[in-house]
């Protein structure tokens, strides 16, 4: 059965987010970072820019990946079209 474009896109987006979660849990910083665009710009709500690009994101998150008790817990997942 062929999926429509919207359904296919939804599955691809779901897969990327699931991979981020798994890679974070495995403490694979460089591989985890590869799931983001090179020019990604994470923000803190409501609009404070935290970092810009892989190098700044890596610099900010690398220490967290070295923590022995690194753990992510998925509380809720929302996907928007």
């Amino acid at each position: 059965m062929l999926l429509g474009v919207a359904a296919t896109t939804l599955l691809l987006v779901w897969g990327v987010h699931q991979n981020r979660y798994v890679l974070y849990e495995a403490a694979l910083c460089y591989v985890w970072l590869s799931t983001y665009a090179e020019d990604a710009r994470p923000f803190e709500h409501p609009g404070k820019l935290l970092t810009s690009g892989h190098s700044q994101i890596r610099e900010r998150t690398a220490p967290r990946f070295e923590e022995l008790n690194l753990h992510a817990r998925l509380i809720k997942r929302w996907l928007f079209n």
Side-chain angles (χ1 to χ4, degrees):
M1 176 172 108
L2 294 175
L3 295 174
V5 174
T8 303
T9 302
L10 179 64
L11 289 175
L12 290 173
V13 169
W14 182 274
V16 168
H17 289 288
Q18 184 62 32
N19 287 341
R20 284 182 186 155
Y21 180 74
V22 169
L23 293 168
Y24 186 85
E25 279 287 302
L28 299 170
C29 182
Y30 291 97
V31 182
W32 170 82
L33 190 57
S34 73
T35 66
Y36 289 89
E38 290 283 333
D39 59 350
R41 296 174 40 185
F43 287 84
E44 182 179 276
H45 183 73
K48 176 184 173 189
L49 178 64
L50 297 174
T51 59
S52 183
H54 273 200
S55 61
Q56 289 182 8
I57 296 171
R58 184 181 308 112
E59 181 180 317
R60 188 171 196 275
T61 58
R64 183 159 302 224
F65 279 88
E66 294 173 8
E67 295 174 7
L68 296 177
N69 61 345
L70 178 68
H71 177 71
R73 184 174 56 141
L74 182 60
I75 297 170
K76 186 180 274 187
R77 180 175 295 182
W78 293 26
L79 295 175
F80 297 93
N81 193 359

